[in-house]
Amino acid sequence: MTAQIYAPTQANLHRLVAALHEGDLVALPTETVYGLAANAFDARACQKIFRAKGRPKADPLIVHVLGLQQAALVAELNPAARQLARAFWPGPLTMVLPKKSVVPDAVTSGLSSVAVRAPAHSLFQKILRMAGRPLAAPSANRFGCVSPTTAEHVQEGLGRQIPHILDGGSCQMGVESTIVDLRDPDRPRLLRPGVISAAQLETVLGKPLVDIARASQPASDSPIAPGMMKRHYSPKTELHLVRRITARLAREADRGVALLYYRKPANPSSTKGRIFWMSSDGSSRTAARRLYAALHAIDRLSLRCLYVEAAPAGAGPEAAAINDRLRRAAARR
Ligand code: TXA
Ligand code: MG
């Protein structure tokens, strides 16, 4: 199989919706990263997602919906969930809630909860409207690898495993959604930091969040929450996370090494290393948008290793998400 990349014409959208109805997988753009979508009510189609990604069956999928009305079909909503949805949907916020029985076990890995999010990308929304049902979709990459932010990234990673990719250009936000566990609305837990910061969620909820993502750093590969693996989002190139790429480190890094600065350096201190940066202006928003594209570009060079600068303290609301992904990408196998 070789995946076909489709331009977003009306005729192609109809073709891809028909493919979803038939139980095929379609990679779709969202505002965060590309997703690998299937009809959420079709257990067999959802099982194909796990095979295509090489994803463990115990790692459940996010169900994508148009909004609260469709979310109510798959999840038991509570006031906290409604409050957050009104503030942040459509957008990069995923909520874990008690599931309804229509959701197949294949989607939730047999859990009694389901993760739901309303994506903000207009093409994903069009497909949801035309399909008339929720779509289950994890990020469209091989399990554990760097998430895709362009149709070409999806093609490179999964081109031989899936039939269809809808091209929606580069993803606006560039890192995955924030995930919050609201099964107990009195004790909301942050499962994965994302573009929407913990502080923003706390402001709307009016209470503090328990941060599971940071609590799960101990040396173990077994997830505390499903999917919260210590090693994840890893490029093929060996990644070393540093606080700053100093001039001395850059000089030491001779041929065979890439350097990924957080901010574009005024005077790059090495000419032998291959030099990349996440952000020209230092804002965490642009850094998040470019992070995965930089890692994909570096992987294409087949270098020995890579030094990456963490987002500095106070860089902005996306810094926690960037550093969470970099810590997991740097974790040893
Ligand atoms: O931005 C995003 O969220 C992207 C786009 C495509 O929407 N999706 C995404 O999906 O990042 P994925 O599968 O790569 O990450 C979803 C995470 C996994 O770590 C999974 O274990 C967790 O959400 N998850 C899903 N359902 C869950 C549940 N019921 N309880 C706890 N964690 C859950
Ligand atoms: Mg993923």
Side-chain angles (χ1 to χ4, degrees):
M1 184 163 12
T2 312
Q4 186 175 342
I5 298 185
Y6 298 81
T9 63
Q10 202 58 25
N12 282 341
L13 298 187
H14 278 289
R15 213 164 281 156
L16 295 175
V17 169
L20 288 165
H21 279 306
E22 282 159 25
D24 280 345
L25 305 184
V26 180
L28 297 173
T30 84
E31 75 278 29
T32 58
V33 301
Y34 275 68
L36 181 59
N39 173 356
F41 295 147
D42 181 343
R44 289 179 65 173
C46 292
Q47 280 157 0
K48 289 185 189 171
I49 292 177
F50 290 85
R51 285 200 294 275
K53 283 182 57 93
R55 179 179 178 110
K57 290 226 172 62
D59 193 0
L61 308 176
I62 295 177
V63 175
H64 293 69
V65 295
L66 278 166
L68 273 171
Q69 219 181 339
Q70 213 170 33
L73 299 176
V74 296
E76 300 287 351
L77 302 177
N78 53 42
R82 288 207 178 79
Q83 228 177 348
L84 288 184
R86 263 183 240 113
F88 300 110
W89 277 6
L93 176 68
T94 298
M95 303 192 284
V96 172
L97 292 162
K99 81 161 192 138
K100 292 215 169 142
S101 58
V102 286
V103 185
D105 282 341
V107 171
T108 60
S109 304
L111 296 177
S112 57
S113 60
V114 63
V116 281
R117 115 167 169 93
H121 199 290
S122 63
L123 288 175
F124 204 117
Q125 291 174 341
K126 266 190 196 168
I127 297 270
L128 277 171
R129 250 181 252 116
M130 289 162 72
R133 65 201 60 186
L135 296 173
S139 53
N141 49 279
R142 292 286 295 174
F143 178 71
C145 297
V146 178
S147 296
T149 55
T150 65
E152 291 72 30
H153 296 159
V154 180
Q155 174 82 275
E156 281 165 34
L158 288 177
R160 280 201 292 253
Q161 277 78 37
I162 64 170
H164 312 295
I165 304 169
L166 176 60
D167 191 350
S170 295
C171 299
Q172 269 275 313
M173 292 178 170
V175 295
E176 299 81 355
S177 62
T178 306
I179 306 183
V180 61
D181 178 1
L182 287 175
R183 286 173 305 164
D184 177 356
D186 294 328
R187 220 176 141 267
R189 305 189 311 159
L190 182 69
L191 298 186
R192 179 173 74 183
V195 172
I196 294 170
S197 68
Q200 282 174 286
L201 296 176
E202 286 171 343
T203 303
V204 173
L205 288 171
K207 54 169 71 90
L209 284 176
V210 179
D211 187 344
I212 292 294
R214 287 198 74 92
S216 68
Q217 292 306 313
S220 149
D221 265 344
S222 63
I224 284 186
M228 300 295 126
M229 315 290 177
K230 184 168 173 257
R231 180 180 167 87
H232 208 112
Y233 311 105
S234 304
K236 295 184 205 98
T237 317
E238 185 182 301
L239 186 154
H240 299 277
L241 180 59
V242 296
R243 205 165 55 79
R244 239 170 60 73
I245 297 175
T246 57
R248 199 173 68 82
L249 175 62
R251 275 193 306 275
E252 267 174 38
D254 61 3
R255 258 181 290 258
V257 166
L259 304 173
L260 176 51
Y261 289 86
Y262 173 75
R263 185 179 190 153
K264 182 179 182 184
N267 300 300
S269 32
S270 162
T271 47
K272 285 182 180 168
R274 314 291 168 90
I275 295 169
F276 298 79
W277 54 85
M278 293 174 226
S279 179
S280 302
D281 59 6
S283 83
S284 60
R285 172 146 282 231
T286 55
R289 188 184 301 152
R290 291 179 45 134
L291 169 64
Y292 289 154
L295 295 178
H296 282 287
I298 290 165
D299 262 353
R300 273 185 224 116
L301 302 175
S302 301
L303 299 175
R304 183 169 55 77
C305 83
L306 154 69
Y307 288 93
V308 185
E309 262 178 10
E318 294 83 2
I322 292 171
N323 289 339
D324 169 77
R325 306 306 187 270
L326 288 174
R327 274 194 300 271
R328 292 177 203 277
R332 299 276 78 85
R333 277 189 187 83

